[in-house]
Amino acid sequence: MPTPRPELLIEMQRRMWRVRAFDERAVELRHAREIHGPVHPSIGQEAACVGACMALREDDTLTGNHRSHGHPIAKGSELGPLMAELLGKATGVCGGMGGSMHLADFSVGSLGETGIVGAGIPIAVGAGLSARVRGTDQICIAFFGDGASNHGTFHESLNLAAIWKLPVLFFCENNGYAATTSLARATSVEDVAERAAGYRMPGVVVDGQDAVAVYEVTAEAAARARAGEGPSLLEAKTYRYLEHAEGEGIPGFYRDAAEIERWRQRDPLEIHRQLLLDRNLLDAAGADRIEREARAEVDAALAFARESAEPEPRAAFDVVFANSGGSGT
Ligand SMILES: Cc1ncc(C[n+]2csc(CCOP(=O)(O)OP(=O)(O)O)c2C)c(N)n1
Ligand SMILES: [Mg+2]
């Protein structure tokens, strides 16, 4: 199994802290109504997105879902343009026209996220086909939730990628719930990865709180896809610590406090911090510094976003009509 090098292990912690600090701030901004539209935080799920994205090559691509600030951050996005996008500013990655649920950052291969559950999965199959047609050995990873694995797009995508042996990784961030509906109530299998058997591809369950474990299974599946051996379905068992969407008044009746506490005991940032200390890659002061630096980066990103201008209203026409020439006609 490909094991990450020491400097990569440290970088993992840095990126996990960026994801957490970014989302903590996004939640505050949503509660303060400085962000317009729902915010779905990945707090608790950082090891899944960071472990997976860091096992990819820079020119590999990804698609996301509604809970996807973490994916471009994990792939190396600059935080300023991402935060500006959340605030609807012209300097945002999509010119302020996408917002929290529709980020795309082509500079790191993030092809886009979407508020339509399951809709990013076939786009990844298209990206895999594109890589094949263009003769590159890039791969595309599709991030989606357990709930999305009950949508038709998931099944159609796995089938097509399997028969054409496309270089696609299907990565399920299984946090046990689709909004307020538990996996047990809505899903025919215990492990989403079981569904891989129906499409004759490997199905792998991994501890989604362990960034190194996620990195290893992703790197193995990526090597397989790159070698032309086809797609894999990876399932990271994880948990979101906050609400499905913060600041929307969703009642928390569907999860009990003991369950949340159990998962909080397996905080991915604590697990990885311990690993860095145990291997003498960092001391406690060094580990604390990573957190402080990530928070400072997020502060700087927010200052950039706040100082940025709103998009011109007429700019909307540029992305709605082909050949509009920006005139809106
Ligand atoms: C096609 C479609 N159906 C329903 C919804 C409403 N919806 C938004 S998020 C969500 C739950 C998704 O759960 P999951 O895929 O497990 O992702 P998670 O939110 O847990 O990360 C639902 C049902 C939607 N946005 N799109
Ligand atoms: Mg879910």
Side-chain angles (χ1 to χ4, degrees):
M1 268 222 187
T3 305
R5 303 179 312 276
E7 57 281 21
L8 208 86
L9 289 170
I10 296 172
E11 183 63 19
M12 274 180 177
Q13 186 73 344
R14 195 168 287 125
R15 293 198 190 184
M16 284 200 284
W17 264 115
R18 279 191 194 129
V19 175
R20 177 155 304 182
F22 186 93
D23 266 357
E24 283 180 355
R25 191 48 67 86
V27 166
E28 285 169 23
L29 294 165
R30 176 59 186 149
H31 281 287
R33 293 300 187 257
E34 197 171 336
I35 291 176
H36 305 288
V39 164
H40 301 80
S42 296
I43 296 168
Q45 304 188 190
E46 295 89 346
C49 65
V50 170
C53 284
M54 292 197 66
L56 302 179
R57 233 168 47 189
E58 261 178 41
D59 64 338
D60 289 334
T61 55
L62 69 90
T63 66
N65 60 0
H66 50 285
R67 194 179 307 287
S68 266
H69 307 155
H71 301 125
I73 296 175
K75 195 96 185 336
S77 274
E78 264 185 72
L79 300 187
L82 283 182
M83 190 60 92
E85 188 60 38
L86 266 57
L87 265 56
K89 298 299 184 76
T91 53
V93 280
C94 299
M97 286 178 258
S100 164
M101 274 197 286
H102 301 93
L103 300 172
D105 185 355
F106 299 147
S107 71
V108 295
S110 150
L111 302 180
E113 57 174 61
T114 166
I116 302 171
V117 170
I121 309 173
I123 295 172
V125 175
L129 178 59
S130 157
R132 162 84 47 85
V133 169
R134 287 179 293 111
T136 78
D137 66 348
Q138 290 164 292
I139 62 169
C140 185
I141 187 166
F143 289 101
F144 53 91
D146 45 292
S149 77
N150 294 326
H151 284 240
T153 49
F154 167 86
H155 296 275
E156 293 172 49
S157 297
L158 265 71
N159 186 55
L160 193 63
I163 56 176
W164 288 352
K165 282 194 179 306
L166 293 176
V168 182
L169 307 189
F170 298 98
F171 194 102
C172 179
E173 292 170 299
N174 178 359
N175 58 14
Y177 294 87
T180 58
T181 306
S182 71
L183 178 95
R185 282 181 58 207
T187 306
S188 59
V189 289
E190 205 169 303
D191 296 328
V192 171
E194 285 177 53
R195 291 182 161 163
Y199 304 100
R200 293 201 182 164
M201 67 175 76
V204 182
V205 177
V206 65
D207 177 358
Q209 306 308 92
D210 179 343
V212 175
V214 172
Y215 175 96
E216 288 175 348
V217 297
T218 308
E220 197 168 15
R224 199 176 167 275
R226 231 183 277 291
E229 291 166 38
S232 297
L233 172 60
L234 308 176
E235 176 188 6
K237 305 277 194 193
T238 185
Y239 202 77
R240 63 170 159 72
Y241 293 159
L242 302 184
E243 249 326 318
H244 169 69
E246 277 289 325
E248 310 306 321
I250 299 172
F253 62 82
Y254 61 95
R255 308 194 296 186
D256 63 45
E259 177 183 292
I260 299 173
E261 186 47 35
R262 238 187 356 267
W263 280 92
R264 278 197 180 271
Q265 293 303 318
R266 302 211 61 246
D267 187 319
L269 279 77
E270 284 303 317
I271 290 173
H272 199 67
R273 175 191 168 97
Q274 201 52 52
L275 175 138
L276 295 172
L277 298 179
D278 290 348
R279 295 199 190 173
N280 289 320
L281 295 174
L282 282 181
D283 57 15
D288 292 345
R289 192 172 330 115
I290 287 184
E291 174 182 350
R292 266 201 318 280
E293 286 171 355
R295 292 192 183 284
E297 283 179 53
V298 170
D299 287 344
L302 180 56
F304 167 80
R306 281 179 169 154
E307 285 158 12
S308 296
E310 306 274 343
E312 292 291 329
R314 59 182 298 134
F317 291 108
D318 295 341
V319 291
V320 172
F321 300 108
N323 305 320
S324 72
S327 66
T329 54

